[in-house]
Amino acid sequence: MFTKPSTYLLVALNLFLAACSSVSVTSDYDHSAAFEQYRTYTLAPSSENIALSPSSESALRDSLRTNLAARNIAEVSKDADLHVVRHISTKEKLAVYQTNDWNYRGMPYGYGRYGAWANAPSTYTDISQYTEGTLILDFVDAKTQKLVFRGTGTGIVSDPQTNAKRIREAVEKIVTQFPKTLSH
């Protein structure tokens, strides 16, 4: 059997793009919940100390509306089947990168005829600080007030436009993991 090299390239490209995702998502749900009964939702007002920027708030609402509509769950202003409750947090994190040697082996470094200094260190450590943001979406059954699904998205906090993009990505991935409902 002969496989075209382009097939391998396509598979490698898909794996690379999947690894480059800027948001990681996890979820859990109540396996006993009857998800087919959920047809409507409301986004509960935020009671968080951390407020989203206007572009991030819009991204959250629009992405929820679009992605849940694709699952036949519509936004309503009252008497919803589900309440979507969001939780937002940030945490300062450190990233530590270690590099082994400066590639001295056989390569002139540019210090004239002497090369690199004697006993040059072979391991270097670089530390950078960043802010990690977490978006949790809780889907609560409106009748029983029971949590039926939780999705958590985590990514690096950046400028407002990038944050809005990451929120869209997180919501899309979270809703993708929401248990399937029946069509109308």
Side-chain angles (χ1 to χ4, degrees):
M1 182 173 141
F2 179 73
T3 305
K4 293 181 181 180
S6 62
T7 304
Y8 292 119
L9 181 60
L10 185 60
V11 170
L13 181 61
N14 284 335
L15 289 173
F16 175 74
L17 290 174
C20 291
S21 176
S22 59
V23 175
S24 63
V25 168
T26 60
S27 67
D28 191 19
Y29 67 96
D30 180 353
H31 294 270
S32 66
F35 284 91
E36 65 276 358
Q37 72 180 333
Y38 303 126
R39 296 283 176 221
T40 59
Y41 79 95
T42 58
L43 181 60
S46 177
S47 61
E48 299 289 329
N49 292 335
I50 300 173
L52 290 174
S53 70
S55 59
S56 293
E57 181 71 31
S58 177
L60 173 68
R61 290 178 178 278
D62 293 345
S63 188
L64 265 174
R65 191 175 302 115
T66 301
N67 288 285
L68 286 174
R71 292 185 168 263
N72 296 318
I73 302 173
E75 183 177 23
V76 295
S77 58
K78 61 179 181 172
D79 299 326
D81 301 323
L82 287 169
H83 297 299
V84 179
V85 182
R86 64 166 173 241
H87 308 280
I88 301 161
S89 65
T90 59
K91 179 188 273 188
E92 293 301 315
K93 304 276 277 199
L94 294 176
V96 179
Y97 303 98
Q98 273 195 331
T99 305
N100 294 323
D101 77 43
W102 277 1
N103 217 3
Y104 289 133
R105 291 170 265 173
M107 299 294 291
Y109 193 72
Y111 286 104
R113 63 183 186 169
Y114 301 109
W117 67 88
N119 298 324
S122 60
T123 302
Y124 297 90
T125 303
D126 182 31
I127 300 173
S128 61
Q129 185 175 357
Y130 64 96
T131 303
E132 179 182 80
T134 301
L135 169 67
I136 299 173
L137 295 177
D138 285 339
F139 291 72
V140 178
D141 184 298
K143 291 177 188 159
T144 65
Q145 296 300 305
K146 183 178 176 185
L147 178 65
V148 293
F149 177 84
R150 171 174 277 178
T152 304
T154 305
I156 296 175
V157 174
S158 184
D159 61 274
Q161 286 73 30
T162 304
N163 292 342
K165 179 182 172 189
R166 289 184 180 144
I167 286 172
R168 280 188 204 91
E169 181 183 347
V171 170
E172 180 180 350
K173 288 180 175 182
I174 288 169
V175 172
T176 298
Q177 294 180 9
F178 191 83
K180 298 258 186 223
T181 57
L182 301 174
S183 299
H184 275 58

